Amino acid sequence: MRRLPVYLLLDTSGSMRGEPIAALNVGVQSMLQALRRDPYALETVHLSLITFDREARELFPLTPLEQVQVPEIEVPESGPTFLGAALALLIERAGQDVLRSSPGQRGDWLPLVFVMTDGSPSDVQAYREACATIRRGGFGNVVACAAGPKARHEPLRELTDTVVALDTLDGTAFAEFFRWVSASIAMGSQSAGAAGSNSLPPLPKEITVAM
């Protein structure tokens, strides 16, 4: 069975302390529960989680969905938003993890990437270099979510044309976002990885297309 690699990149900078990080933890767990109820996702999806604040961390590598154990996601007291470092880590890990097709074997489907941030990148040069690499190919759908009123949309458009927005950082908004992410991943798994496809499910009312 060909794998559908899925990478989540989540902002854990200081501004996420309190209700936002609690809502994020609940949302990730709800997403996992929903995906595990989908037989196609359970067969194909392999998930990795990267967090970023003053450094980028791989909380767990690409792992079969049924084996994923998500640790409690925490936030430092304060710190910048090194999204560029997180994207560089994504590029490195995907280069190592994703099986490419060869004459003797069929590789994995193109990875899906979901990025959520409540601010803008602090490491601007590293961010722009990573965006250019990702734009050159090797990934399937790349979705960026600008979460909350302080999130800037413009930098995210350097990464992807698919930028969505959450007006608030409360539990309801986060729950809807991760429900939509799980539906997007399930759609990808059911359409055999959606290689070369940009199809995503309709956005719920809590999520808007970033203008």
Side-chain angles (χ1 to χ4, degrees):
M1 176 69 69
R2 299 174 74 182
R3 303 184 304 173
L4 176 59
V6 178
Y7 292 89
L8 294 180
L9 280 66
L10 303 178
D11 189 340
T12 50
S13 58
S15 55
M16 288 287 291
R17 289 186 66 80
E19 183 182 3
I21 198 65
L24 185 145
N25 274 290
V26 171
V28 170
Q29 294 295 340
S30 298
M31 179 197 72
L32 279 177
Q33 292 172 12
L35 286 173
R36 285 171 172 157
R37 291 193 292 269
D38 186 293
Y40 295 100
L42 206 55
E43 283 186 0
T44 59
V45 170
H46 284 57
L47 185 67
S48 175
L49 177 56
I50 292 171
T51 61
F52 55 96
D53 41 70
R54 53 179 169 243
E55 61 181 328
R57 307 174 193 82
E58 183 184 56
L59 289 197
F60 55 86
L62 208 59
T63 303
L65 189 58
E66 62 183 7
Q67 298 175 21
V68 168
Q69 297 290 328
V70 180
E72 186 76 9
I73 302 171
E74 299 179 344
V75 171
E77 288 295 329
S78 62
T81 306
F82 282 169
L83 178 50
L87 293 176
L89 182 57
L90 162 69
I91 293 164
E92 175 189 334
R93 292 293 188 262
Q96 296 171 356
D97 298 340
V98 178
L99 301 176
R100 305 297 177 182
S101 294
S102 69
Q105 71 171 13
R106 298 173 73 196
D108 295 328
W109 301 110
L110 292 176
L112 306 183
V113 180
F114 295 89
V115 179
M116 171 183 273
T117 180
D118 73 336
S120 60
S122 303
D123 52 346
V124 175
Q125 185 61 34
Y127 175 73
R128 287 176 173 164
E129 290 173 358
C131 288
T133 299
I134 289 172
R135 285 276 194 178
R136 283 196 289 270
F139 293 90
N141 278 326
V142 178
V143 177
C145 176
K150 295 181 180 179
R152 293 182 57 209
H153 304 164
E154 295 81 6
L156 295 177
R157 292 195 179 94
E158 295 184 45
L159 172 64
T160 176
D161 296 330
T162 309
V163 180
V164 299
L166 294 178
D167 291 336
T168 63
L169 295 173
D170 60 22
T172 300
F174 273 50
E176 285 300 323
F177 174 71
F178 282 103
R179 193 173 293 126
W180 180 75
V181 169
S182 66
S184 303
I185 295 170
M187 179 179 288
S189 66
Q190 292 172 19
S191 58
S197 170
N198 292 317
S199 59
L200 291 166
L203 291 170
K205 60 181 173 56
E206 289 81 4
I207 307 173
T208 59
V209 176
M211 303 301 290

